């Protein structure tokens, strides 16, 4: 779907201001006394996936070491797939073993009732950075992988920023969550080639960010030093409409689009009813391909 949006932008182009205009957003500035975190002082190029992974990992409760390992493997599924691909193609044979070993660096804190949670510490952040470096292989291709990204450990400033943005994510979900789904697939009715076998679309991490849904909204997660763009909102609207059309029960209650930016500690929301009907029809017809425009 990301490719279809890019093709639409090239061949048709969005109107001035975008199909979904960022000016329609309601902005809520959250305040923890620390303000915006400067990305230019960080030594990791893209911390978005790291924060997304860590917020999921440290929000999970497990009852055993085996359950903890299973949870970590599920959360870092894309990273492990990327490392496996690099190993299978013989470019970096050690990549998959390194990724599996990195999973062992996540420590647990056990509570009195026997339930445990993952610790958010320097070791966990470093392991998440190593694992996230492999995401480029399944997303963009093995040619884009740089082993220097795997070997680079976060410095003190980057470490503190990642921990703070992860904690901001937890605070946000406590107030506006919980997240009812992190990754979700849609039925294959949108496939252009009906003879092509598919398990549907998987919305997970895309270009370094993640999507999730709550009872009220379909959200995008953007750890960037800029407000949402018209392309961010268009992609989010596509996911919203696909979710609504899928018939999946987790999409019955959402009425809004939302973006949370832990770097700026800001929340952006937009009621779908406030988006012009012609824009929604255009998205259905020209990008998703599932709608019909009335004459």
């Amino acid at each position: 779907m990301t490719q279809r949006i890019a093709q639409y932008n090239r061949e048709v182009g969005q109107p001035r201001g975008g199909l979904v205009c960022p000016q329609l957003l309601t902005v809520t500035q959250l305040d923890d006394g620390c303000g915006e975190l400067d990305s230019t002082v960080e030594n990791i190029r893209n911390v978005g996936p790291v924060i997304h992974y860590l917020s999921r990992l440290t929000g999970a409760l497990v009852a055993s070491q085996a359950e903890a390992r299973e949870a970590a493997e599920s959360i870092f599924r894309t990273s492990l797939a990327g490392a496996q691909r690099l190993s299978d193609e013989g470019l970096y044979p050690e990549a998959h073993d390194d990724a599996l070993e990195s999973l062992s660096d996540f420590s647990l804190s056990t509570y009195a009732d026997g339930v445990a949670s993952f610790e958010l510490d320097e070791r966990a952040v470093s392991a998440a950075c190593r694992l996230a470096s492999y995401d480029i292989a399944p997303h963009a291709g093995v040619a884009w992988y740089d082993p220097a990204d795997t070997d680079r450990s976060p410095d003190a400033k980057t470490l503190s920023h990642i921990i703070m943005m992860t904690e901001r994510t937890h605070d946000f979900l406590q107030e506006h969550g919980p997240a009812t789904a992190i990754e979700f697939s849609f039925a294959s009715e949108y496939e252009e080639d009906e003879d092509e076998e598919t398990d549907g679309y998987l919305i997970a991490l895309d270009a370094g960010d993640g999507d999730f849904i709550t009872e009220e909204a379909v959200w995008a997660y953007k750890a960037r030093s800029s407000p949402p763009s018209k392309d961010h909102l268009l992609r989010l609207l596509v996911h919203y409409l696909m979710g609504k059309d899928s018939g999946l029960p987790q999409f019955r209650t959402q009425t809004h689009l939302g973006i949370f930016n832990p770097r700026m500690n800001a929340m952006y929301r937009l009621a779908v009813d406030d988006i012009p009907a012609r824009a929604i029809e255009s998205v259905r017809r020209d990008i998703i391909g599932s709608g019909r425009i009335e004459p």
Side-chain angles (χ1 to χ4, degrees), residues 7 18 75 105 116 118 127 132 179 198 220 236 268:
Q7 182 180 2
I75 289 168
D105 288 338
F118 291 92
T198 178
L236 192 55
Y268 306 83

Side-chain angles (χ1 to χ4, degrees), residues 14-179:
Q14 298 185 54
R16 185 174 182 179
L19 284 168
V20 187
C21 180
Q23 292 182 352
L24 294 174
L25 290 166
T26 298
V27 185
T28 302
Q29 183 63 56
L30 308 177
D31 185 15
D32 59 2
C34 297
E36 182 178 347
L37 303 178
D38 184 4
S39 63
T40 65
V41 301
E42 298 166 3
N43 73 326
I44 302 294
R45 288 189 295 178
N46 183 10
V47 301
V50 178
I51 301 158
H52 181 77
Y53 286 141
L54 284 173
S55 63
R56 293 179 58 194
L57 187 76
T58 56
L61 295 176
V62 295
S64 66
Q65 287 288 346
E67 192 174 308
R69 180 75 177 197
E70 182 179 342
E73 288 179 353
S74 175
I75 289 168
F76 287 95
R77 180 175 62 243
T78 300
S79 305
L80 294 173
Q84 183 70 68
R85 184 173 176 184
L86 289 164
S87 294
D88 289 346
E89 297 196 14
L91 298 174
Y92 302 93
E94 72 286 353
H96 192 240
D97 287 342
D98 171 74
L100 291 174
E101 184 177 347
S102 295
L103 292 176
S104 302
D105 288 338
F106 298 116
S107 302
L108 293 173
S109 292
T110 304
Y111 304 110
D113 59 1
V115 176
S117 64
F118 291 92
E119 294 182 2
L120 180 60
D121 54 18
E122 180 176 355
R123 190 177 177 188
V125 173
S126 296
C129 288
R130 288 185 66 83
L131 285 159
S133 71
Y134 293 121
D135 286 11
I136 193 70
H139 283 317
V142 296
W144 292 93
Y145 171 72
D146 184 353
D149 291 335
T150 302
D151 295 336
R152 185 179 299 110
S153 297
D155 59 19
K157 182 64 72 173
T158 307
L159 182 72
S160 67
H161 282 190
I162 290 173
I163 290 175
M164 187 177 297
M165 284 188 275
T166 303
E167 291 172 341
R168 285 176 170 179
T169 302
H170 284 307
D171 291 343
F172 168 79
L173 287 173
Q174 273 195 333
E175 181 70 22
H176 301 282

Side-chain angles (χ1 to χ4, degrees), residues 233-282:
L233 293 173
L234 175 57
R235 177 176 175 270
L236 192 55
L237 176 61
V238 168
H239 291 171
Y240 175 93
L241 294 174
M242 290 174 67
K244 289 295 186 180
D245 291 349
S246 71
L248 295 172
Q250 59 263 46
F251 285 96
R252 289 175 181 164
T253 60
Q254 290 75 28
T255 57
H256 286 68
L257 307 181
I259 292 177
F260 174 61
N261 186 326
R263 182 175 297 285
M264 303 176 74
N265 206 17
M267 176 181 70
Y268 306 83
R269 291 172 72 254
L270 169 62
V272 175
D273 283 349
D274 290 338
I275 300 173
R278 298 292 291 185
I280 292 177
E281 291 172 353
S282 179

Side-chain angles (χ1 to χ4, degrees), residues 148-217:
D149 291 335
T150 302
D151 295 336
R152 185 179 299 110
S153 297
D155 59 19
K157 182 64 72 173
T158 307
L159 182 72
S160 67
H161 282 190
I162 290 173
I163 290 175
M164 187 177 297
M165 284 188 275
T166 303
E167 291 172 341
R168 285 176 170 179
T169 302
H170 284 307
D171 291 343
F172 168 79
L173 287 173
Q174 273 195 333
E175 181 70 22
H176 301 282
T180 56
I182 303 295
E183 297 176 346
F184 34 89
S185 58
F186 298 132
S188 59
E189 65 183 280
Y190 300 108
E191 284 296 323
E192 293 174 348
D193 183 355
E194 295 181 355
D195 295 325
E196 181 180 352
E197 294 184 0
T198 178
D199 292 324
Y201 294 103
L202 176 66
I203 293 182
L205 297 182
D206 177 60
D209 299 298
D211 289 338
F212 58 96
I213 60 176
T214 62
E215 184 176 355
E216 180 195 34

